[in-house]
Amino acid sequence: MQKTIFITGATSGIGYACAWQMAANEHRLILTGRRADRLEKLKAELQSKFNSEILVLPFDVTNLKAVTQAIESIPEAFSDIDILINNAGLAVGLNKIHEGVIDDWERMIDTNLKGLLYVTRLISPKMVARKQGHIINIGSIAGKETYVNGNVYCATKFGVDALTKSMRIDLVEYGIKVTQIAPGAVETEFSNVRFKGDDARADKVYDGFEPLRPEDIADAIYYCINLPSHVTINDLTIMPTAQAAASLIYRQ
Ligand code: NDP
Ligand code: 8X3
């Protein structure tokens, strides 16, 4: 059955892979992110290949006014959102707590927590009214275990873990599913962003082992959204086989 799926952070990485996976299966998509040019290119590519209706909404999840305007602009045909994938997020910097850069901290908290909250607050009421829906939050292994210098990024992902559990409790009486997907290392633009464009340093993160691909996460999400209505995956931790813990990767 065709579903309407709202994906934050569809311009790159996991969200981009989800867009391809869901479009290939002919779902109706609302694709979002800040980079409007990438969204338009993605829409054109997907529509040329698949029979999927696509709406793109460029906005910054940290800007409540922009989030509100974008979501309020959704036309009727796309307005019954069945699935919200709260994926937009980032790590910025990797410093000891006493050397942390306050602006990096603000960006992570504003994006990973407040952005996820803004989008959820604006989309979930209609799910409640319709008594159906599925919210998928992209957490992280960093929301299960801390690691050296991970401090504030880990705190935001521990926060996503807590919010996922809380949302499930608040929404259970409306039949809304809430799932957290918590990946280990996935090769995306994540490390390029964390290291502020130092691509050589970013590449080293994935040296000597086979990381997850964004498509692996999209496959898992696709599995979660296709279960019968009485079955919910609450929490799925997905790791590269070579990664045993947040800070233990076996490299060869
Ligand atoms: P990417 O950097 O490849 O993608 C991040 C996406 O988030 C982009 O589409 C970006 O779009 C969007 N985004 C970032 N900031 C904002 C913002 N302020 N407003 C709107 N969109 C924003 O990284 P990943 O695909 O790896 O990251 C996706 C999620 O997965 C994140 O929540 C991350 O924490 C999580 N994760 C990643 C792991 C990894 O190893 N890669 C492991 C575990 C979890 P744009 O720049 O166009 O706005
Ligand atoms: C991204 C994975 O281990 O760099 O959430 O925190 S990690």
Side-chain angles (χ1 to χ4, degrees):
M1 201 181 73
Q2 191 192 45
K3 292 176 177 151
T4 302
I5 305 178
F6 187 109
I7 305 174
T8 67
T11 57
S12 167
I14 294 169
Y16 181 87
C18 286
W20 278 85
Q21 168 77 281
M22 307 309 165
N25 287 282
E26 303 195 351
H27 292 296
R28 190 184 291 116
L29 303 183
I30 304 170
L31 304 178
T32 76
R34 287 166 301 182
R35 287 170 288 184
D37 53 338
R38 286 204 189 191
L39 289 174
E40 288 300 339
K41 185 164 176 275
L42 177 59
K43 177 181 173 180
E45 282 174 353
L46 294 178
Q47 283 185 332
S48 73
K49 285 194 164 59
F50 308 117
N51 187 23
S52 170
E53 294 162 67
I54 298 184
L55 173 71
V56 298
L57 290 179
F59 65 87
D60 182 335
V61 294
T62 68
N63 180 335
L64 179 58
K65 196 169 164 210
V67 178
T68 306
Q69 279 173 352
I71 292 176
E72 285 179 350
S73 78
I74 295 173
E76 186 68 28
F78 287 82
S79 66
D80 284 344
I81 295 166
D82 300 297
I83 298 163
L84 164 61
I85 305 179
N86 275 319
N87 163 75
L90 77 185
V92 199
L94 191 66
N95 303 100
K96 292 205 178 297
I97 197 76
H98 62 284
E99 293 167 348
V101 178
I102 303 287
D103 185 57
D104 294 350
W105 293 359
E106 311 270 25
R107 284 182 62 198
M108 290 188 277
I109 292 166
D110 287 352
T111 310
N112 302 355
L113 289 174
K114 291 170 72 178
L116 180 148
L117 283 168
Y118 295 160
V119 173
T120 304
R121 178 65 184 85
L122 287 157
I123 289 180
S124 57
K126 196 152 186 202
M127 289 182 170
V128 168
R130 294 172 66 224
K131 289 195 162 32
Q132 68 178 77
H134 193 165
I135 299 173
I136 298 185
N137 293 331
I138 307 301
S140 171
I141 189 63
K144 310 275 182 188
E145 307 164 25
T146 54
Y147 55 86
V148 175
N149 299 337
N151 45 62
V152 176
Y153 178 68
C154 292
T156 65
K157 291 298 181 177
F158 271 72
V160 171
D161 189 59
L163 282 171
T164 306
K165 290 172 180 153
S166 298
M167 286 181 192
R168 193 177 302 120
I169 290 167
D170 293 346
L171 298 173
V172 67
E173 66 195 275
Y174 307 105
I176 297 170
K177 299 184 182 194
V178 184
T179 297
Q180 174 173 246
I181 305 287
V186 190
E187 190 165 8
T188 63
E189 294 178 12
F190 177 85
S191 295
N192 309 80
V193 173
R194 167 170 261 175
F195 298 127
K196 304 177 184 181
D198 183 345
D199 295 340
R201 189 173 175 199
D203 288 347
K204 281 207 180 103
V205 172
Y206 310 105
D207 267 1
F209 77 108
E210 186 170 354
L212 293 167
R213 306 279 156 211
E215 294 76 15
D216 300 323
I217 307 304
D219 281 347
I221 293 172
Y222 193 69
Y223 170 77
C224 292
I225 67 172
N226 279 295
L227 289 166
S229 62
H230 68 289
V231 182
T232 300
I233 301 288
N234 281 357
D235 198 348
L236 203 52
T237 301
I238 309 173
M239 303 290 275
T241 305
Q243 185 176 15
S247 51
L248 180 58
I249 295 178
Y250 177 65
R251 298 176 198 264
Q252 289 183 297

